[in-house]
Amino acid sequence: MADTTGNPTDTEAPSGSDNPTPRKSSWRHIGPGIVVAATGVGAGDLVATLIAGSNFGYTLLWAAVLGCLVKISLAEAAGRWHLSTGRTLFDGWASLGRWTTWFFLVYVVVWGFVYGAAAMSSSALPLQALFPGVMDLEWWAVACGLVGLVFVWFNKYAVFEKVMTVLVGVMFVVTVYLAVRVTPNLPDALAGLLPVLPDEKDSVLNTLGLVGGVGGTITLAAYGYWVNAKGWTDTGWMKVMRLDNRVAYLTTGVFVVAMLFVGAELLHSANMAIAGGDKGLVQLGDILEAEYGSATATFFLIGFFATSFTSLIGVWHGVSLMFADFVARHRGGARATGAEVASGRRERSRPFRLYLLWLTFPPIVLLFQGQPFRLVILYGVLGAAFLPFLALTLIWLLNSARTPAEWRNGRLSNGMLAAAGLLFLVLCVKQVADQPWSEFF
């Protein structure tokens, strides 16, 4: 195991005499990958893929698949850092300079405030559709936030993983059922695997947006923390982690491809359009009811709730874990280790629970008063900047002496991470340029 003592700003890879015995890759170990897949695929991701299918048919199927491959490289790199060094990702960021600390602090404060309201609203929409007239959307949202808070507060990773696995099973069954129900045109779908751009204005940026939007943002960084929380803390678990990561994005691929099938067959062929954002899925429920009956619509809304609520509790747990690690590293000045995360002490810590409260209670104000304009702009910019930050810092960390030579990036890893960094940088610039800055000031 990596030595975790010494100067916290030391850039040399930990040196230890331990040579952990590699664990055999086995399906019975799978867990963190299911969690990151469930958290990363939210209602917004499904709507984006649905709209892509609605607008372009199967043309951009290849882009959805490519998005999964890009995210595999990011999550694998995050997991490899945690296992090869014995240090957490935030500890690695801190070694790059104070700027990473300030970026992360501003990000988790602003992003968490706005995301909390968005996640609660997303989970509330299908419940309001399933139980019309019971109570207003805002109160459903408050209930979802409070249930998520209580669940994560009182349960440790093992229980959290089991519940996420059950909800992923629901998501999987619902999305695959819908894909089969609309009877996809398989020859056209196979043709959609060829990298062809739609013959429309801004098709390149729309395609890049679909590639970049598949499968999560900060949850990719949280993956290394969930790997440690599972009890994987050394290189003996490297093969297991890589299998787990592939399962994560195979699962993600099934979700997004299934929804693209639904968009292509149900909406594109009938020349129907739906709204962007989570409300688009409510519209889809109405369309499914008209086409296939109320049972199919109800089944879909249950899957919609599972999709939204897994993202909520996944962020409530994973980002709170990262925040607890940030505070411990900043307060103590000592290296933050995977062993600390594996011990469960982070989940019982005051910073973990403080961030849980931050994700839940301040955003309730936004549910009833609307989201402040300037804050929403900052949320969009910070969210767009996080993935370039993650990709570029992982390249830095995993090509330096901070990582043991055996586990540094090879050509393939560097190529995938560089491509991801460039992709997300382009999307970040576009997001920043699209903001109404004149109104901000």
Side-chain angles (χ1 to χ4, degrees):
M1 175 124 42
D3 179 13
T4 57
T5 62
N7 189 332
T9 61
D10 186 6
T11 61
E12 292 299 315
S15 59
S17 58
D18 293 345
N19 185 21
T21 303
R23 272 72 170 184
K24 183 178 179 181
S25 295
S26 172
W27 293 96
R28 66 187 178 88
H29 292 307
I30 299 302
I34 296 297
V35 172
V36 77
T39 307
V41 179
D45 299 285
L46 297 187
V47 171
T49 312
L50 190 66
I51 290 176
S54 172
N55 291 339
F56 308 115
Y58 293 105
T59 305
L60 292 181
L61 180 59
W62 65 271
V65 174
L66 180 60
C68 293
L69 295 177
V70 167
K71 297 297 179 67
I72 282 176
S73 66
L74 286 166
E76 187 276 340
R80 178 155 45 94
W81 166 265
H82 276 248
L83 295 182
S84 65
T85 66
R87 299 159 62 183
T88 66
L89 187 54
F90 184 78
D91 193 63
W93 286 338
S95 73
L96 301 179
R98 288 182 177 272
W99 65 275
T100 61
T101 299
W102 287 110
F103 175 83
F104 181 78
L105 180 61
V106 174
Y107 178 84
V108 294
V109 170
V110 176
W111 181 89
F113 185 37
V114 180
Y115 180 83
M120 288 187 271
S121 294
S122 179
S123 298
L125 280 168
L127 292 177
Q128 187 184 44
L130 284 167
F131 306 103
V134 174
M135 57 183 172
D136 293 338
L137 179 68
E138 291 83 3
W139 290 109
W140 276 118
V142 171
C144 290
L146 293 177
V147 169
L149 170 69
V150 171
F151 172 72
V152 175
W153 188 291
F154 290 105
N155 289 292
K156 299 301 181 285
Y157 176 80
V159 175
F160 165 72
E161 183 189 286
K162 287 181 173 64
V163 171
M164 292 288 273
T165 301
V166 171
L167 292 174
V168 166
V170 174
M171 292 167 60
F172 189 90
V173 170
V174 170
T175 53
V176 171
Y177 167 77
L178 290 178
V180 173
R181 191 77 171 84
V182 299
T183 317
N185 186 320
L186 294 181
D188 284 354
L190 290 174
L193 293 174
L194 297 175
V196 176
L197 292 174
D199 187 19
E200 296 189 16
K201 183 182 178 182
D202 294 332
S203 62
V204 173
L205 288 175
N206 289 333
T207 302
L208 291 178
L210 181 60
V211 174
V214 173
T217 51
I218 194 171
T219 53
L220 293 166
Y223 178 64
Y225 287 86
W226 285 323
V227 162
N228 288 155
K230 180 75 170 175
W232 307 347
T233 57
D234 57 47
T235 56
W237 292 101
M238 196 69 76
K239 286 185 178 180
V240 177
M241 181 275 292
R242 285 171 167 163
L243 173 64
D244 180 75
N245 182 43
R246 293 185 189 110
V247 169
Y249 285 94
L250 177 62
T251 305
T252 300
V254 170
F255 293 151
V256 298
V257 168
M259 292 307 289
L260 191 138
F261 281 7
V262 173
E265 292 295 339
L266 188 62
L267 303 178
H268 183 70
S269 60
N271 198 25
M272 295 181 181
I274 61 170
D278 301 338
K279 291 184 179 179
L281 291 185
V282 176
Q283 283 182 270
L284 179 61
D286 295 335
I287 294 169
L288 288 170
E289 183 171 10
E291 291 286 330
Y292 304 114
S294 60
T296 295
T298 299
F299 191 47
F300 165 72
L301 289 171
I302 293 171
F304 176 8
F305 172 74
T307 300
S308 298
F309 195 65
T310 50
S311 292
L312 187 154
I313 60 175
V315 167
W316 263 229
H317 185 276
V319 184
S320 297
L321 201 56
M322 292 181 70
F323 182 76
D325 189 57
F326 159 76
V327 172
R329 174 65 172 77
H330 182 70
R331 178 187 294 166
R335 282 179 171 164
T337 68
E340 280 290 315
V341 178
S343 72
R345 285 191 286 269
R346 293 281 190 265
E347 294 171 281
R348 296 189 294 271
S349 68
R350 185 174 297 174
F352 179 90
R353 290 175 170 172
L354 177 65
Y355 194 73
L356 269 179
L357 296 174
W358 176 253
L359 283 168
T360 307
F361 288 105
I364 289 175
V365 177
L366 302 186
L367 294 173
F368 291 93
Q369 295 187 359
Q371 297 180 357
F373 179 71
R374 289 181 175 84
L375 196 62
V376 172
I377 290 179
L378 290 176
Y379 166 79
V381 170
L382 287 168
F386 185 81
L387 282 178
F389 167 79
L390 177 62
L392 297 174
T393 54
L394 283 172
I395 290 175
W396 191 346
L397 291 170
L398 292 168
N399 283 287
S400 72
R402 298 171 179 83
T403 304
E406 180 184 358
W407 301 109
R408 290 175 197 163
N409 280 355
R411 291 181 180 178
L412 179 60
S413 295
N414 276 327
M416 291 294 290
L417 288 175
L422 180 61
L423 164 67
F424 297 129
L425 191 59
V426 169
L427 293 174
C428 178
V429 171
K430 180 180 183 297
Q431 179 82 1
V432 172
D434 287 346
Q435 298 296 335
W437 293 107
S438 60
E439 298 178 36
F440 184 88
F441 298 104

